Amino acid sequence: MAENEGLLTLEQLQNEVNSGQIDTVVVAITDMQGRLQGKRLAARYFLNEVVEHGTEGCNYLMAVDVDMNTVDGYAMSSWERGYGDFVMAPDFDTMRWMPWQPGSVLLLADVKWEDGTDVVASPRQILRKQLDRLADLGLRAFVGTELEFIVFRDSYEEAWDKGYRNLVPANQYNVDYSLLGTARVEPLLRRLRVSMEGAGLYVESAKGECNLGQHEIAFRYAEALTTCDNHVIYKEGAKEIAAQEGMALSFMAKFDEREGNSCHVHISVRGNGSGHPDDSMVMVDESDHAALSPLGASFVAGQLAHMRELTLFSAPNINSYKRYVPGSFAPTTVAWGRDNRTCAVRLVGHGAGLRMENRVPGGDINPYLTTSALVAAGIDGIENEMKLEPALTGNAYNSDLPKVPHTMDDALRMWEASDFARAAFGDEVVDHYANMARVELASYSSTVTDWELRRNFERF
């Protein structure tokens, strides 16, 4: 794929609008839940007004639950503060075609207050801050996210009407690596791949996974902010395309008792030409290109040191924690190993491709927040020259090492009590996302579940 293919400059946009090829510009921000929110603007209005001044949106977009309910507890947005606007400031480097929507282009925006200062709890701004800190060390982060999803033959509306029960998966048996099984849903997968290529994403492959109807499309790694931008655009586009095909797909972490949807995050650091040489080998041992350098070892050690207290940024929903089941390929133990999929951190690759894979995140993550946590933990490991414990060999599920938090309650307690999180992200960010977790826990605790009805309706 040619560099910048699928992306547009402002000059190209103007030409496409003048020729009648583009009539709509989608301006989007990423909310706390990792979803794209924004506006569809008339293209000429965008060029004449929004390019210079940006556009506005209600600041409740960073202070609602997943159902868009206004909830209490947020300092930046409330009834008392009047639910005013913030500015969506377009990032023109992200402007791209939307091949799945005729005549449309999309670009992402940073979230700012009207005086031009950052909305610090905005996920994209949180990541930018951590990447700036990494740059001060002479480093830049490269990231790849591996999103799994489950495809259903039902439409989203049919799934809603059925209460998400008795849905028909696109495959009726385990199609992990199966070419025959993936061929059953190849028309959808091919459209996803081609559309994402047309939107400027570098597609690598598609493969089946273990759960019924479960699949994964892999994209080439890129610098951290670009990967996170691509992640949220892909997720939005995949759902829109599935809906157009009369189908539904879900990235939720744990749809049923079988394998959950993971989002393994691969990350490495490279020099940026200032504090470290501008090359790809700063994490690599000079004599053994399959082993970590002292800097690389400290980066991974930071992940292990802070994994438990930062889990909220990798497991942001109550459902997230149901992935962590022994023998499920989702991790339960805070450990690292060389090409060991039972560990929370897996070291893989060699030479310039040497990287760590964090296996804690599920398909429901906000990639900006997850990546922010990984970068912040790695920075602390580097700055404090943390020593990496020996790699775990064998089955990490049977290890007596510390465990990944088992519930959102546990993760919330560790997050709020974390001096490290407050130092890295600031009190405003910690308190903001702690409130998000409390809102979800309160909603869940007041809900009567299907499990309770089946368990109790007749028997008590």
Side-chain angles (χ1 to χ4, degrees), residues 410-426:
D410 293 338
L412 172 58
R413 283 194 293 271
M414 294 179 196
W415 170 255
E416 284 195 290
S418 172
D419 292 335
F420 168 73
R422 293 187 181 277
F425 302 111

Side-chain angles (χ1 to χ4, degrees), residues 339-354:
D339 199 13
N340 187 337
R341 285 182 168 88
T342 71
C343 296
V345 173
R346 172 180 171 241
L347 188 70
V348 63
H350 61 276
L354 185 68

Side-chain angles (χ1 to χ4, degrees), residues 71-333:
V71 292
D72 294 331
Y74 289 109
M76 62 166 277
S77 182
S78 65
W79 292 115
E80 288 72 24
R81 295 175 64 92
Y83 284 117
D85 282 346
F86 48 42
V87 177
M88 301 177 184
D91 181 344
F92 298 107
D93 290 339
T94 68
M95 188 159 56
R96 69 198 65 223
W97 290 96
M98 293 180 72
W100 58 93
Q101 295 290 358
S104 297
V105 299
L106 176 148
L107 78 166
L108 299 176
D110 289 311
V111 186
K112 298 181 179 295
W113 296 114
E114 291 187 356
D115 64 2
T117 59
D118 285 343
V119 175
V120 298
S122 167
R124 203 165 189 258
Q125 272 54 54
I126 292 172
L127 177 57
R128 281 188 181 277
K129 176 182 175 182
Q130 298 307 315
L131 296 178
D132 287 344
R133 293 180 61 215
L134 191 64
D136 289 341
L137 297 178
L139 298 168
R140 52 191 176 141
F142 285 78
V143 171
T145 58
E146 297 181 332
L147 266 172
E148 295 174 347
F149 55 87
I150 299 177
V151 181
F152 298 97
R153 301 289 180 185
D154 314 79
S155 70
Y156 283 108
E157 290 75 17
E158 290 167 342
W160 173 280
D161 290 340
K162 294 167 72 171
Y164 304 101
R165 302 181 189 90
N166 302 316
L167 303 185
V168 181
N171 302 97
Q172 294 170 309
Y173 56 88
N174 182 331
V175 297
D176 194 22
Y177 289 97
S178 167
L179 294 178
L180 177 63
T182 53
R184 303 281 179 85
V185 73
E186 172 61 7
L188 174 64
L189 297 178
R190 180 178 182 275
R191 188 177 171 203
L192 291 175
R193 296 195 306 272
V194 172
S195 295
M196 295 307 134
E197 190 94 19
L201 281 69
Y202 192 135
V203 181
E204 289 189 349
S205 62
K207 67 176 288 291
E209 292 289 345
C210 297
N211 204 338
L212 308 187
Q214 189 177 46
H215 296 266
E216 173 187 296
I217 296 177
F219 299 88
R220 187 171 177 80
Y221 69 89
E223 291 205 46
L225 184 63
T226 297
T227 289
C228 293
D229 290 345
N230 290 345
H231 178 117
V232 295
I233 290 167
Y234 161 55
K235 206 168 181 180
E236 173 73 20
K239 291 178 181 178
E240 292 186 18
I241 291 167
Q244 291 168 6
E245 297 292 329
M247 303 173 77
L249 55 82
S250 177
F251 295 93
M252 71 180 292
K254 190 75 169 175
F255 173 73
D256 57 19
E257 287 73 25
R258 291 178 61 95
E259 295 82 4
N261 287 322
S262 68
C263 181
H264 303 146
V265 179
H266 294 246
I267 185 169
S268 65
V269 292
R270 298 180 178 181
N272 67 4
S274 56
H276 292 276
D278 187 15
D279 64 27
S280 58
M281 302 288 279
V282 298
M283 284 188 68
V284 183
D285 184 84
E286 291 182 359
S287 60
D288 180 357
H289 285 183
L292 292 163
S293 67
L295 182 146
S298 291
F299 185 85
V300 175
Q303 310 300 325
L304 301 177
H306 298 299
M307 181 175 289
R308 283 164 53 81
E309 62 196 310
L310 299 184
T311 296
L312 194 64
F313 267 11
S314 292
N317 300 297
I318 290 166
N319 179 257
S320 309
Y321 297 83
K322 297 188 177 181
R323 279 184 59 243
Y324 307 135
V325 176
S328 68
F329 286 99
T332 61
T333 303

